[in-house]
Amino acid sequence: MTRSSSTPPVIDYPLNVIVATDCGSTTTKAILIEKVGDEYRQTYRGEAPTTVEAPFEDVTRGVLNAIAEIEELSKRKILDGEKIITPCRDARTGVDIYISTSSAGGGLQMMVTGVVQNMTGESAQRAALGAGAIVIDVLASNDGRLPHEKIERIRSMRPDMILMSGGTDGGAVTHVAEMAEYIAAAEPRPRFGVTYKLPLIYAGNKDAQPQVRRILGEKTALEVTENIRPVLERENLAPARNKIHDLFLEHVMQQAPGYKKLIEMTGAPIMPTPAAVGLIMETIARREHLNLIGVDIGGATTDVFSVFDGVFNRTVSANLGMSYSISNVLAEAGLANIMRWVPFTIDEQTLRNRIKNKMIRPTTIPQTLDELQIEHAISREALRLALIHHKSLATGLKGIQQERTISDVFEQQTSGRTLIDMLTLNLIVGSGGILSHAPRRIQSMLMMVDAYEPLGCTMLSVDSIFMMPHLGVLSTINEQAATDVFVRDCMIYLGTCIAPIGQGKEGDLCADYEIVFPDGRLVKDQLAFGELRLFALEPGMKANITLRPAKSVNLGTGAGAAMTREVMGGAVGLLLDGRGRPLQLPAEQSARVAALKKWFNAVGLYPQG
Amino acid sequence: MAHSYTPGLAVADRTVVRRRRLLPLPGTLLVKNGDVVTSHQAVARAELPGKVYPINLANQLSIAPDEITDYLVKKQGDAVQKDEILAENKPFIKWFKTEVRSPVAGTIESLSTVTGQVLLREPPRVLNLLAYIDGRVVETIPQQGVVVETACSLVQGIFGIGGEVWGELVLAVTSPDEPLGPAHLAPNMKGKIVVGGSFLPAETMARAKELGIAGLVVGGIHDKDLRALLGYDLGVAITGTEQVGFTLILTEGFGTIPMASKTFRLLSRHAGQKASISGSTQIRAGVIRPEIIIPRSSSAGQAPSEMQRAGIRLGDTVRIIRDPLFGKIGEVSGLPSDLTRIPTESEVRVLEVTFAEGTRAVIPRTNIEVIEGA
């Protein structure tokens, strides 16, 4: 049997020392993982600029530089010239395996096609996103564009790969064949490499395979796999996702500078960075039986991952980010939405110029407190918009028949509802510079709370140094090592947020509460509307909280119903959010600034100055 | 050991640049290695395939897709004129006759008996690739393009919009901190590249458009004026294809910021000479900055210059690129190696900058840029 190129290898020797890299667009990050006693720990890290572009044009240079930094810090000899010593020769020489992820060169950019936009079009989009791609366009027979416009669009794009879907097995073949004709007429060309054919995966109606082979077999590097929507009621994304990974390695990576060498260096297949992050998120959710939302907010893009009732979804908001795309956050959110989080007044022109100056000089950092507060305001909006985008795509299947009973008479819901239910959400995991490197952990926590408005009781955490990609790829070859490092070194629990649903006048009773802390201390008090309260609760500690909400207030157990819970502590602690849901800020400028200042001071968000 | 590397923008009086001029798809080269070329000269040519127009004959004639060949008047590969009959049915009664005419002039590229579609392709369009700079061809890439080299003065801007243009360099202001007002522009500046000082207001943009000025180089503009000029809020800094009437290059950033005196002096020295400029900016990995290239007559003794720096050194001239001291220029007077806590409470690597008036400031290393070629 032939093994798919993206299938992890079977390793028959113990893995005690592992070096892993993530080749990002600008930085290559390396970490060293070692088995200490019975558990794996992340021990050293190093980083170096990524070297995909001129003058180096060889990704392995950056990898070797990053590993050299680890060598220097750990005093372990890992490199022998330009080779990584594997497996370990002795206690201080070599590593047992080297693994890597990559998003250098703009990641994996795909175009997908379907027949009906919100059915096979969306399924294809989910398959590509789940495989770690950025979807640059979704073409469908009913997308409203005229045929020649579709052809022009395909021609003008330079994707790394196309995923074609459409039709259920045994259905009509005409629309699929038509789309294949448009693609053939457009003669799409790949982003890298002038000489090679564009990889195209066909994962649609199996009856149309002969036609698709005839139309596209010569013009593209065609791969045929199982239909992603064999019947309307079921999605079958795994075969298409695996095929995307295979082609990513066999075609796309082969064209990127230095990747042939990198593939030879690694002991397991290279994964696209977001695919690896998705994998680790899925692993956590499965292991802990949790519903979770994960976010990675970068300079150019924001990735959102979710696992609800075991269903994994990922979206990438390609132009929402904190440096390269910061100006787009302003364009999409609007100035008023950003300004509502800024606890002082600033004129529009100054703020606009500052945001543009960050866009054109993306590596700068806030030097003053007001600059930091502006960036935090923008990040709240980027996080909020990315979640809205995610909710729109993380849905149940659309267009399917639903069985209804008499009890559904008053609650007629359409198919394709979002799977994101903030009430059943257990954990939010934040990652990316603005969250991982916030000077105070409470700043990360409140940014996520304000952007996502969690309901009821929700835990929050951040990735300490952005090592989730490394752990994702590691989990394919050694799940225990990935889990150990994830729990001990990667994930920093911030604490728990309790947010009652409902609204009331500022100062009115929201809920009575009683907290029993681990040392037996009892705190009994009232939470008023418009109030934030923070209680220290150490990481690993648990407290018992009982809340008796006001009549119209809901904690997820029904209006006015009391709730008793055991809550987890963290680097920040336990946050009681009485600001109401949906969260509404005062409309009047001075009242809004006063409210923000009150909240920020209540939790010690920024240094007092 | 890892070191801090802060690439700055080039402001070089004497350098040699090479520009790759590549066709978007294979074509023919019009020049050979060693040829001397001028900015407006075509160096390569390609035929861009014409637009494709699909027509569903089966639907229009109400027939089955596999029957279309029986109704076609033309065959695959045939040339057709606009409104020429492509296919028709042959009913018993003439009134029921349906004709399908070509919406464009071109050729019949393909027929499909599965979908009943005919794909028509318009004639190809000729694309001439111009040299962009005055210089010499130093490399030819068969079917793809050439590399043109020129000995020149080079100024990189921080941000720009608009494509490649060339023309005489004109100085419209007398000092780098003087804003470029509408009164500074005159009709004889048509087709030229006008250099301003600290700021370009919206009224001057309108006047420049009216006069047909080819390019504007200034220290800064307001974002709101850029939005008004483009007609939309620019979200991501990937530019170069805008058509606003002129190419605009900012040397410093957004706001009123005097042009760095070194840049202003260099541009002043070359007033009256021809310059090629491009507003194309891409602030992602593989960064592209806008540029002003002023070719010189001789390249003797100059090597192609891709300026590489080892890091920041004491005495380097740097510009601060973040508030509160945004735009100020000074000299590096201290490089402490330990992490320093700044007012945001972040612990970062910093440096000390001394300004001309003798004051000093501690700035995060990521918030400065070295003025290259200093």
Side-chain angles (χ1 to χ4, degrees):
Chain A
M1 199 181 84
T2 57
R3 208 165 53 89
S4 153
S5 54
S6 63
T7 313
V10 178
I11 293 157
D12 51 7
Y13 53 90
L15 296 180
N16 294 326
V17 187
I18 300 155
V19 69
T21 58
D22 170 50
C23 309
S25 301
T26 44
T27 316
T28 297
K29 290 149 285 232
I31 58 168
L32 186 71
I33 294 168
E34 293 174 275
K35 198 166 187 179
V36 183
D38 278 343
E39 61 182 35
Y40 289 90
R41 297 300 301 259
Q42 182 265 322
T43 47
Y44 296 96
R45 60 189 285 248
E47 56 180 59
T50 297
T51 47
V52 173
E53 324 242 347
F56 305 103
E57 291 183 343
D58 178 358
V59 73
T60 60
R61 279 254 60 84
V63 166
L64 295 173
N65 289 345
I67 295 177
E69 208 168 272
I70 290 186
E71 257 191 334
E72 200 178 313
L73 295 167
S74 66
K75 313 280 182 251
R76 168 181 286 275
K77 185 168 169 56
I78 303 174
L79 299 173
D80 178 9
E82 297 204 340
K83 286 209 169 77
I84 297 173
I85 303 166
T86 52
C88 283
R89 288 185 193 154
D90 56 54
R92 308 257 20 113
T93 315
V95 294
D96 289 317
I97 194 167
Y98 164 59
I99 52 178
S100 188
T101 58
S102 170
S103 59
L108 168 63
Q109 302 192 4
M110 287 185 70
M111 189 184 93
V112 303
T113 76
V115 169
V116 180
Q117 195 168 23
N118 63 9
M119 291 161 78
T120 45
E122 272 191 12
S123 294
Q125 202 177 350
R126 279 193 281 264
L129 287 165
I134 290 173
V135 175
I136 51 180
D137 204 352
V138 184
L139 291 167
S141 304
N142 70 336
D143 63 12
R145 285 177 275 198
L146 294 171
H148 71 271
E149 290 172 337
K150 286 187 185 121
I151 295 170
E152 275 304 299
R153 182 73 185 138
I154 302 168
R155 259 170 71 164
S156 64
M157 281 187 298
R158 304 281 295 262
D160 291 316
M161 203 186 291
I162 295 179
L163 171 64
M164 232 188 119
S165 71
T168 51
D169 284 344
V173 300
T174 326
H175 289 300
V176 179
E178 201 172 69
M179 191 58 84
E181 283 166 8
Y182 296 154
I183 294 173
E187 293 182 17
R189 293 179 318 126
R191 199 157 55 103
F192 295 120
V194 224
T195 49
Y196 91 113
K197 286 182 182 172
L198 180 75
L200 186 144
I201 299 165
Y202 176 68
N205 180 359
K206 66 176 184 215
D207 291 359
Q209 287 176 5
Q211 277 90 344
V212 172
R213 281 186 208 277
R214 187 177 50 74
I215 300 165
L216 291 166
E218 288 291 304
K219 293 200 167 178
T220 61
L222 177 68
E223 290 279 340
V224 175
T225 186
E226 288 169 47
N227 193 349
I228 55 171
R229 200 80 183 256
V231 288
L232 270 186
E233 286 70 23
R234 189 165 63 84
E235 251 179 6
N236 177 31
L237 303 181
R241 277 185 187 163
N242 292 339
K243 212 39 135 188
I244 293 169
H245 284 169
D246 287 353
L247 291 185
F248 174 69
L249 287 170
E250 288 163 16
H251 289 258
V252 182
M253 292 290 254
Q254 299 288 346
Q255 303 301 322
Y259 275 89
K260 271 185 198 161
K261 264 161 78 184
L262 186 67
I263 290 169
E264 282 164 20
M265 283 159 73
T266 54
I270 299 168
M271 286 178 95
T273 305
V277 177
L279 202 61
I280 195 78
M281 297 269 184
E282 263 188 294
T283 312
I284 317 165
R286 198 178 54 235
R287 201 178 42 127
E288 309 275 333
H289 307 287
L290 294 174
N291 287 337
L292 68 82
I293 290 178
V295 62
D296 173 20
I297 177 166
T301 63
T302 298
D303 279 22
V304 181
F305 306 83
S306 69
V307 185
F308 276 81
D309 298 327
V311 180
F312 169 77
N313 272 290
R314 166 189 174 246
T315 52
V316 48
S317 297
N319 286 324
L320 291 176
M322 289 308 297
S323 59
Y324 302 108
S325 311
I326 193 165
S327 184
N328 199 54
V329 180
L330 170 68
E332 281 196 27
L335 190 76
N337 275 329
I338 289 175
M339 283 307 299
R340 68 189 173 134
W341 301 112
V342 178
F344 50 85
T345 49
I346 177 169
D347 74 282
E348 177 177 346
Q349 186 161 289
T350 309
L351 183 70
R352 282 188 170 278
N353 286 345
R354 282 190 188 186
I355 293 175
K356 279 287 187 299
N357 281 325
K358 168 83 180 186
M359 174 186 80
I360 59 177
R361 289 175 166 111
T363 55
T364 60
I365 58 167
Q367 192 181 341
T368 58
L369 203 54
D370 62 342
E371 287 260 299
L372 182 74
Q373 288 170 336
I374 292 172
E375 286 207 1
H376 286 175
I378 298 169
S379 102
R380 283 172 168 88
E381 286 303 301
L383 291 168
R384 183 180 69 83
L385 292 171
L387 184 67
I388 292 173
H389 179 207
H390 185 80
K391 280 181 175 172
S392 69
L393 206 69
T395 61
L397 298 182
K398 290 174 188 160
I400 60 170
Q401 287 191 358
Q402 294 183 98
E403 204 172 296
R404 295 188 202 278
T405 64
I406 192 71
S407 61
D408 297 323
V409 161
F410 298 107
E411 205 188 343
Q412 291 277 334
Q413 283 164 338
T414 53
S415 61
R417 268 190 315 143
T418 185
L419 301 173
I420 310 302
D421 176 1
M422 299 307 279
L423 253 181
T424 62
L425 173 68
N426 306 110
L427 175 66
I428 299 174
V429 185
S431 180
I434 191 103
L435 296 174
S436 295
H437 300 144
R440 294 185 181 187
R441 294 284 183 203
I442 176 67
Q443 292 165 356
S444 319
M445 185 159 175
L446 202 64
M447 274 188 266
M448 290 192 277
V449 168
D450 288 347
Y452 292 160
E453 298 187 29
L455 307 176
C457 187
T458 315
M459 269 187 302
L460 292 102
S461 66
V462 288
D463 177 1
S464 60
I465 52 163
F466 194 56
M467 61 168 111
M468 282 203 262
H470 311 77
L471 300 184
V473 68
L474 178 59
S475 72
T476 64
I477 51 166
N478 189 330
E479 194 164 329
Q480 193 215 332
T483 309
D484 281 358
V485 177
F486 185 82
V487 172
R488 291 178 179 88
D489 301 308
C490 171
M491 188 98 122
I492 294 175
Y493 282 97
L494 298 173
T496 304
C497 169
I498 295 183
I501 310 162
Q503 277 162 342
K505 254 204 286 176
E506 191 174 342
D508 282 1
L509 176 71
C510 177
D512 288 304
Y513 63 85
E514 278 178 33
I515 310 169
V516 183
F517 286 92
D519 58 1
R521 186 166 52 100
L522 173 74
V523 174
K524 247 172 123 171
D525 208 339
Q526 289 190 328
L527 178 71
F529 274 109
E531 200 177 22
L532 267 184
R533 288 198 178 182
L534 180 64
F535 299 91
L537 185 60
E538 296 283 296
M541 294 295 180
K542 289 175 183 171
N544 268 299
I545 182 164
T546 302
L547 287 115
R548 286 176 208 86
K551 242 197 292 184
S552 60
V553 177
N554 186 350
L555 282 157
T557 44
M563 178 192 85
T564 300
R565 276 279 181 102
E566 190 178 63
V567 291
M568 290 283 295
V572 176
L574 171 63
L575 181 71
L576 301 185
D577 186 350
R579 296 175 298 170
R581 293 289 187 273
L583 182 57
Q584 284 175 340
L585 281 86
E588 200 270 317
Q589 163 94 346
S590 56
R592 181 185 54 73
V593 170
L596 287 177
K597 280 187 173 160
K598 183 179 95 175
W599 296 334
F600 292 180
N601 290 338
V603 297
L605 198 65
Y606 297 108
Q608 304 278 354
Chain B
M1 204 188 98
H3 58 259
S4 153
Y5 170 65
T6 305
L9 301 170
V11 180
D13 195 29
R14 281 174 179 274
T15 185
V16 175
V17 298
R18 289 182 169 191
R19 290 292 170 262
R20 281 168 84 84
R21 311 295 295 158
L22 295 179
L23 289 164
L25 71 177
T28 356
L29 300 191
L30 304 175
V31 291
K32 53 184 193 313
N33 220 336
D35 282 0
V36 172
V37 292
T38 54
S39 55
H40 56 276
Q41 183 180 344
V43 291
R45 181 172 295 157
E47 288 195 338
L48 294 176
K51 277 188 180 171
V52 178
Y53 285 86
I55 298 176
N56 200 309
L57 286 186
N59 286 353
Q60 297 204 19
L61 294 171
S62 303
I63 55 174
D66 57 359
E67 293 173 347
I68 59 165
T69 44
D70 303 336
Y71 291 81
L72 272 168
V73 175
K74 298 274 181 180
K75 36 180 214 309
Q76 193 164 330
D78 280 359
V80 287
Q81 292 306 312
K82 190 170 188 295
D83 294 328
E84 199 179 340
I85 298 171
L86 286 176
E88 59 187 13
N89 61 6
K90 299 180 183 68
F92 288 116
I93 305 163
K94 213 178 160 187
W95 283 357
F96 295 122
K97 184 167 172 133
T98 308
E99 293 169 347
V100 180
R101 291 172 186 272
S102 172
V104 291
T107 48
I108 299 182
E109 180 156 285
S110 69
L111 307 169
S112 169
T113 52
V114 177
T115 59
Q117 287 212 109
V118 171
L119 296 180
L120 301 172
R121 194 181 283 273
E122 282 188 335
R125 195 164 56 84
V126 173
L127 173 93
N128 280 324
L129 176 71
L130 305 183
Y132 167 49
I133 48 175
D134 292 357
R136 186 183 295 276
V137 177
V138 290
E139 191 186 335
T140 54
I141 307 148
Q143 296 189 316
Q144 291 185 55
V146 298
V147 177
V148 180
E149 183 184 286
T150 188
C152 61
S153 298
L154 171 73
V155 173
Q156 283 183 318
I158 186 77
F159 174 77
I161 55 166
E164 296 167 348
V165 291
W166 39 86
E168 185 192 323
L169 203 63
V170 186
L171 237 76
V173 293
T174 51
S175 74
D177 53 5
E178 187 181 350
L180 182 66
H184 288 112
L185 303 183
N188 65 359
M189 292 175 178
K190 184 179 178 182
K192 296 182 180 173
I193 313 234
V194 178
V195 179
S198 59
F199 179 63
L200 174 70
E203 309 83 70
T204 314
M205 293 182 195
R207 176 92 173 123
K209 213 190 278 191
E210 198 181 291
L211 294 175
I213 284 170
L216 290 167
V217 182
V218 293
I221 57 168
H222 281 323
D223 175 47
K224 70 170 173 53
D225 295 338
L226 176 70
R227 195 162 48 128
L229 180 69
L230 294 172
Y232 57 88
D233 210 343
L234 185 80
V236 180
I238 297 175
T239 66
T241 55
E242 300 73 20
Q243 295 192 326
V244 295
F246 52 81
T247 289
L248 169 66
I249 296 179
L250 307 184
T251 57
E252 316 301 316
F254 288 86
T256 303
I257 318 161
M259 185 179 286
S261 53
K262 183 167 185 240
T263 310
F264 189 78
R265 277 201 311 272
L266 189 149
L267 294 173
S268 311
R269 274 202 300 278
H270 295 286
Q273 291 178 22
K274 180 181 173 183
S276 293
I277 69 168
S278 166
S280 193
T281 309
Q282 182 182 307
I283 305 168
R284 288 274 163 122
V287 66
I288 299 170
R289 294 287 185 184
E291 61 187 11
I292 301 146
I293 295 172
I294 308 153
R296 306 172 74 96
S297 47
S298 151
S299 66
Q302 298 283 339
S305 143
E306 288 296 338
M307 276 160 283
Q308 294 287 320
R309 292 188 60 95
I312 305 162
R313 292 176 299 246
L314 286 174
D316 277 348
T317 305
V318 295
R319 172 172 17 212
I320 294 165
I321 54 174
R322 181 95 191 203
D323 282 304
L325 296 172
F326 184 88
K328 283 200 86 168
I329 291 173
E331 221 171 65
V332 178
S333 51
L335 283 167
S337 58
D338 290 340
L339 297 177
T340 304
R341 178 175 273 229
I342 58 174
T344 61
E345 297 186 334
S346 288
E347 298 210 338
V348 296
R349 294 190 79 187
V350 296
L351 47 71
E352 188 192 68
V353 180
T354 303
F355 302 108
E357 67 273 18
T359 56
R360 290 169 180 228
V362 172
I363 309 286
R365 290 196 187 189
T366 54
N367 290 358
I368 58 105
E369 69 192 7
V370 179
I371 297 182
E372 300 269 19

